[in-house]
Amino acid sequence: MNDYAGGPLNADFTLLPDLAVRPLGGSVIWADDEFFAEKENLINPGPSEYRPSTFGHKGQIYDGWETRRHRGRPGDDSAIVRLGVPGVICGIVVDTAWFKGNYPPAVSVSALEIDGYPPAETIAERDDWVPLIDHAPVTGDSRNPFAIENENRWTHVKLTMHPDGGVARLRVHGEGRPDPKLLGLGPLDLAALENGALVLDCSNRFYSSPNQLLYPGLARKMGDGWETARRRDDSNDWVHIRLAGPGLIRLAEIDTSYFLGNSPGSARLTGRTTDGTELELLPRTELLPDTRHRFAIAPMAASVEEVRLDIYPDGGLARLRLYGELGGLPDRRSKGRSAAVPGGVGVPPQETA
């Protein structure tokens, strides 16, 4: 995370992917008021921007969600976000950057797991929202972090301001959990965030987060992938990934799209079984710049639950796909989450798309 306005944010859970961010498919589906600034800004990638003395017809333009002042209007203001990747929420950041005299004194956040795709108005009327943050005070022009201790899977979150004001960004950090009803219907990307994969650690995250390797869709620019600093030693960079569950990998896709003068020279894939045995999935293989490489993986003797991708010596990748057959969805509640917070080396990345 980069520093601005309210200063640096030191919370381990922020290294986990933001399940609500727009590039992962998140959407702000409803708000009871957005008079000054649109609700959709809450989940934009990157930090909020501000240009002073930039006025529209309704006042200063803010890169965030801002409601009108309450004047005899009862209640509080709320917005509902449908997570791009449903999952377990480990922490939430309510970012009030640039809101100094117009931020809410307190906020609440609640969540639901919803089947199907009911209309937004129907979701807003539900009265069974589960509190995750209950009427907590926040400060203006700062990031307000809240650790969450709840192992349930959620699909939607509701941010409530008490009573009104503005919030720049809502970050919902956690681990993806797939819909069990959709498993077993065909080949699966075992390395996708939306299917429950997660980066456990990496050697370097200087330019961008390794979690972006596991994002859905194709990268749109170089900043959409994972890029390391230039190495000045004889070692190499790597990323360690927990798969959606133990599975048999049949096809690997290593995508260097948009990385031209900074793509790795080669890469290697190693799998680890549940008993700790290491299996070579792809020997060290040369890579081309700006190319979606696809490699068939030889039939495996056992399922693997973790994968290590080594790149030589350094550089950047857009996406990693590992297609195969899932052996079963693991119960990760008993294992806890502390080991799943990636450490990594280097300067924390800027928020990117």
Side-chain angles (χ1 to χ4, degrees):
M1 299 285 186
N2 62 314
D3 300 346
Y4 69 95
L9 176 67
N10 297 315
D12 287 344
F13 65 73
T14 59
L15 294 175
L16 294 169
D18 177 4
L19 305 180
V21 73
R22 184 67 194 180
L24 274 181
S27 177
V28 186
I29 63 171
W30 179 89
D32 59 0
D33 185 273
E34 50 180 333
F35 185 86
F36 286 114
E38 295 81 7
K39 63 185 185 302
E40 286 80 11
N41 292 328
L42 280 172
I43 59 171
N44 283 343
S48 174
E49 298 179 351
Y50 180 76
R51 289 181 294 170
S53 301
T54 305
F55 290 93
H57 181 66
K58 297 180 180 180
Q60 171 67 42
I61 297 174
Y62 278 94
D63 181 12
W65 170 50
E66 185 183 7
T67 68
R68 74 192 79 194
R69 302 185 190 213
H70 279 210
R71 292 292 188 264
R73 187 160 56 96
D76 302 304
D77 291 330
S78 298
I80 296 175
V81 176
R82 182 182 64 233
L83 300 180
V85 173
V88 176
I89 298 172
C90 304
I92 291 173
V93 178
V94 179
D95 186 348
T96 58
W98 311 114
F99 288 97
K100 300 178 180 180
N102 50 353
Y103 64 92
V107 299
S108 296
V109 178
S110 52
L112 279 178
E113 181 180 24
I114 297 174
D115 288 329
Y117 306 94
E121 293 74 15
T122 301
I123 296 174
E125 292 172 356
R126 291 183 55 157
D127 59 3
D128 56 343
W129 290 88
V130 177
L132 300 180
I133 303 170
D134 190 13
H135 210 287
V138 295
T139 56
D141 196 25
S142 64
R143 301 177 191 173
N144 299 270
F146 301 93
I148 305 298
E149 294 295 334
N150 188 304
E151 297 287 351
N152 292 323
R153 176 182 182 268
W154 308 109
T155 59
H156 294 70
V157 295
K158 179 167 68 173
L159 169 65
T160 300
M161 299 188 293
H162 305 288
D164 54 37
V167 171
R169 297 288 188 267
L170 178 67
R171 302 304 186 198
V172 183
H173 296 278
E175 302 179 23
R177 293 288 185 272
D179 185 344
K181 298 189 297 296
L182 302 181
L183 297 177
L185 302 180
L188 194 71
D189 181 2
L190 302 176
L193 280 176
E194 57 192 337
N195 293 328
L198 183 70
V199 171
L200 297 178
D201 204 355
C202 71
S203 58
N204 186 281
R205 57 178 72 240
F206 187 88
Y207 287 110
S208 52
S209 169
N211 285 309
Q212 296 185 152
L213 285 174
L214 315 184
Y215 272 26
L218 299 175
R220 298 167 297 165
K221 57 186 179 181
M222 190 172 65
D224 284 356
W226 168 53
E227 184 181 2
T228 70
R230 300 190 187 205
R231 278 198 169 267
R232 306 302 186 189
D233 56 27
D234 295 329
S235 189
N236 70 281
D237 286 320
W238 52 267
V239 60
H240 181 195
I241 298 166
R242 187 194 69 196
L243 300 180
L248 300 173
I249 299 173
R250 305 297 190 190
L251 176 69
E253 181 177 306
I254 301 176
D255 185 355
T256 61
S257 293
Y258 298 102
F259 289 94
L260 291 106
N262 51 352
S263 63
S266 59
R268 179 174 182 256
L269 276 172
T270 307
R272 178 177 296 174
T273 66
T274 54
D275 64 4
T277 302
E278 290 192 354
L279 301 176
E280 185 174 74
L281 306 178
L282 180 71
R284 183 168 173 172
T285 302
E286 291 186 359
L287 301 179
L288 296 175
D290 198 23
T291 303
R292 293 176 65 192
H293 307 79
R294 292 191 169 188
F295 304 105
I297 304 299
M300 298 160 51
S303 296
V304 296
E305 65 174 358
E306 297 177 5
V307 164
R308 173 172 163 139
L309 170 65
D310 285 273
I311 58 174
Y312 301 90
D314 52 33
L317 297 174
R319 296 288 188 267
L320 173 68
R321 308 290 190 212
L322 299 173
Y323 297 102
E325 303 167 9
L326 186 64
L329 188 63
D331 181 5
R332 288 178 171 141
R333 297 188 181 189
S334 61
K335 295 184 178 181
R337 295 193 301 256
S338 59
V341 176
V345 177
V347 177
Q350 293 189 352
E351 296 185 26
T352 55

